[in-house]
Amino acid sequence: MLVLSRREGESVVIGNDIVVTVLEVRGGQIRLGVEAPRSLQVHREEIFREVSEANRTAMGSTDEHQARLDAARKRTD
Amino acid sequence: MTDTVVGDNTIVFAEGIPGFPDHREFQLVDFADGESAFQLLQSTTDPDLSMIVCSPWIFFPDYAPEISDADRDGLELVNPDDAVVFCPVTIDSEASLSVNLLGPFVVNAGNRHGRQVVLVDSDYAVRTPIEIVAT
């Protein structure tokens, strides 16, 4: 991992068009500003991981989904 | 925003979806048994890879996701009426259903580009329990 020290108001540039700026350092929290091409989504990591994990759980084959749906219907009957 | 689901043409997720970065094109497919509340979002390159989805408003009429400016820009969403929203559904081993209200899919019906957005500063949960509606 590349480690860089930055002060408030300073930035790092990633590639040609991503700029991450330290906006504010207060207590144990840092506010970051991210400028990136609009084609790139920027996420808080823990939430991104949570959504990824939920997606992996939700993915399956058509037959699996049909079986689960049938089971869910049976459960509510 | 509309809660109707687009037809079964290809939707392009230019960045893939979280957990599945290699799958960029999906289609909405109906269940063969005529199920009306749920559909499948199916990879066009691997038909065995799909996810159950539903319109969130079937279960949560007051659902009000705030799509960020960055996501609107990314989808080139100029007219809010072009946004089609649907959410992932998980059925666990106990046959209990939940819907992901924090990470809805948003599709621009105009250009058929889609994104799974992650709502910022929202109280919605990734696993919100729902009960199946008898049809």
Side-chain angles (χ1 to χ4, degrees), chain A residues 38-41 43-44 47-48 50-52 54-56 58-62 65-66 68 72-73 75-76, chain B residues 15 18-20 31 33 35 40 42 48 50-52 74 76 94-95 97 115-116 118 120 126 131-132:
Chain A
R38 62 185 188 179
S39 59
L40 287 181
Q41 287 177 275
H43 299 292
R44 290 169 170 84
I47 297 179
F48 179 79
E50 192 182 358
V51 170
S52 298
N55 282 348
R56 280 191 283 268
M59 277 288 183
S61 70
T62 304
H65 291 312
Q66 185 68 64
R68 287 178 201 167
R73 288 199 190 104
R75 193 182 61 83
T76 45
Chain B
E15 309 154 88
F20 296 87
F31 275 94
D33 66 358
E35 167 61 43
L40 292 169
Q42 184 180 60
D48 272 342
S50 64
M51 192 186 279
I52 303 175
E76 297 175 1
E94 311 284 306
L97 290 91
R115 248 183 197 199
Q116 186 172 23
V118 178
V120 179
V126 166
E131 287 297 334
I132 207 160

Side-chain angles (χ1 to χ4, degrees), chain A residues 14-66:
Chain A
I14 303 170
N16 291 317
D17 47 14
I18 299 171
V19 181
V20 181
T21 305
V22 178
L23 298 177
E24 187 184 340
V25 182
R26 194 167 51 187
Q29 213 170 37
I30 298 170
R31 282 164 58 82
L32 298 175
V34 181
E35 292 167 80
R38 62 185 188 179
S39 59
L40 287 181
Q41 287 177 275
V42 178
H43 299 292
R44 290 169 170 84
E45 189 210 15
E46 68 280 11
I47 297 179
F48 179 79
R49 285 187 188 280
E50 192 182 358
V51 170
S52 298
E53 181 54 36
N55 282 348
R56 280 191 283 268
T57 306
M59 277 288 183
S61 70
T62 304
D63 290 347
E64 285 166 352
H65 291 312
Q66 185 68 64

